[in-house]
Amino acid sequence: MDLRAVRPSLRNQFSGVQTNRAVAGEPARWSRANNTNLFRTIKEPKCQMWNHTLELLIIVKSAFRNKKARDAIRRTWATHRIRSAVEVVFIVGKNNDADVINDKIVLDEIQEHGDLLYVDVIDTYRNNTLKLYEGWMFNTTPFRFGFHKHAVSLAMYPFDRYPPYITAGAVLLSRNSFVQFYHAMQIVKIYPYDDVYAGILAYLLKILPTHNKAFVFWSRYISKEEWILGDVIAAHGFSPSRLLEEFPLLVQDS
């Protein structure tokens, strides 16, 4: 059964009525699928995310343990943005071995940089959607093999196809789409894979995900010319050491 063939009238009702009512501040007629009261923010970043001068908000999902990667970003492309118009925020969950010492490590980082959104969610792969909620193409088949990292049971997802979605890496959303996604997440049950979940929301909202070849997902060699000419805007898979090594070469002549 393909999700796209299921009850189109239900899809129209959801996208055309429920989200618009929520955006307008009116009560929704559908019950909430997610208890958002359980999603708690421990510490918010210092930036003013929705001020009138902000043109671009870059949200980076970052694991608790990946401070070196965050520091590499801070020392490279995050320092070369137009500060009045662009903000970079890292979403970090709690360590599996949460204790006072680990908590202090993150709080010290927040105190030093002020760019962390620290959320009360255990930092595991399947909690990425919860991290996405706190902060936001391929038509594929769910994995049914029980031992696979991305295994999905029929109870979790009863359809045999996903709607089009943009695979994890980098996603660009307009402010209007961001607001619609936020309100839709109140109604649509959380799904553990955040990129697929975003595709489900986009499908219900009649937003067509569009692939941009300048967003590179698979790790590969990228030349300086590709960056300068705009053939590559964002790339996945840079280690902290590689980022620190290559970024100065990119900006030295610019």
Side-chain angles (χ1 to χ4, degrees):
M1 189 189 316
D2 193 325
L3 176 63
R4 291 170 297 179
V6 175
R7 297 181 65 185
S9 61
L10 184 64
R11 176 188 178 189
N12 293 336
Q13 180 184 9
F14 172 88
S15 59
V17 178
Q18 299 303 318
T19 304
N20 290 337
R21 287 174 61 87
V23 171
E26 300 175 8
R29 292 174 181 168
W30 284 14
S31 60
R32 294 193 175 204
N34 306 306
N35 184 0
T36 55
N37 293 326
L38 299 178
F39 303 159
R40 186 173 71 91
T41 299
I42 300 174
K43 195 74 174 178
E44 293 185 354
K46 295 178 181 178
C47 69
Q48 298 296 319
M49 289 189 184
W50 299 110
N51 62 33
H52 295 296
T53 62
L54 185 64
E55 296 179 5
L56 178 64
L57 172 64
I58 301 174
I59 299 176
V60 181
K61 291 181 300 178
S62 181
F64 178 95
R65 64 183 180 277
N66 288 342
K67 185 177 184 299
K68 287 184 178 180
R70 294 191 291 275
D71 284 340
I73 291 173
R74 292 179 181 119
R75 292 169 58 186
T76 54
W77 57 264
T79 66
H80 288 262
R81 64 189 189 275
I82 304 172
R83 290 188 175 274
S84 62
V86 180
E87 286 285 0
V88 178
V89 172
F90 300 93
I91 303 181
V92 177
K94 299 182 72 172
N95 191 30
N96 271 322
D97 302 319
D99 54 33
V100 175
I101 295 177
N102 284 324
D103 200 49
K104 186 178 185 303
I105 291 173
V106 175
L107 293 176
D108 286 345
E109 185 178 352
I110 293 171
Q111 182 66 31
E112 180 180 359
H113 299 286
D115 56 4
L116 262 64
L117 178 59
Y118 188 29
V119 297
D120 193 11
V121 172
I122 299 299
D123 228 332
T124 61
Y125 178 78
R126 289 206 171 197
N127 277 343
N128 266 339
T129 305
L130 299 181
K131 291 172 67 176
L132 177 67
Y133 177 87
E134 296 282 359
W136 285 130
M137 151 154 14
F138 303 102
N139 188 7
T140 59
T141 301
F143 289 95
R144 301 300 185 190
F145 185 62
F147 297 102
H148 195 279
K149 174 184 177 181
H150 302 112
V152 175
S153 68
L154 286 170
M156 181 186 297
Y157 189 83
F159 312 106
D160 62 5
R161 289 282 175 183
Y162 287 137
Y165 70 92
I166 299 174
T167 193
V171 178
L172 186 63
L173 288 174
S174 68
R175 181 176 298 202
N176 181 59
S177 295
F178 189 96
V179 171
Q180 290 189 65
F181 272 44
Y182 170 79
H183 288 290
M185 290 180 79
Q186 319 294 316
I187 301 171
V188 182
K189 185 178 179 180
I190 290 290
Y191 192 68
Y193 306 120
D194 55 327
D195 46 4
V196 176
Y197 184 64
I200 293 171
L201 295 179
Y203 168 77
L204 292 171
L205 293 167
K206 297 183 179 179
I207 297 173
L208 179 63
T210 303
H211 173 63
N212 186 326
K213 64 181 181 180
F215 285 62
V216 178
F217 173 68
W218 302 110
S219 182
R220 65 169 177 82
Y221 170 75
I222 300 173
S223 68
K224 180 177 180 179
E225 288 71 25
E226 287 182 280
W227 287 111
I228 293 175
L229 295 175
D231 293 334
V232 174
I233 297 173
H236 192 62
F238 273 75
S239 66
S241 58
R242 182 184 170 196
L243 183 59
L244 290 169
E245 177 184 349
E246 294 189 14
F247 190 81
L249 301 177
L250 175 65
V251 299
Q252 65 183 4
D253 298 325
S254 60

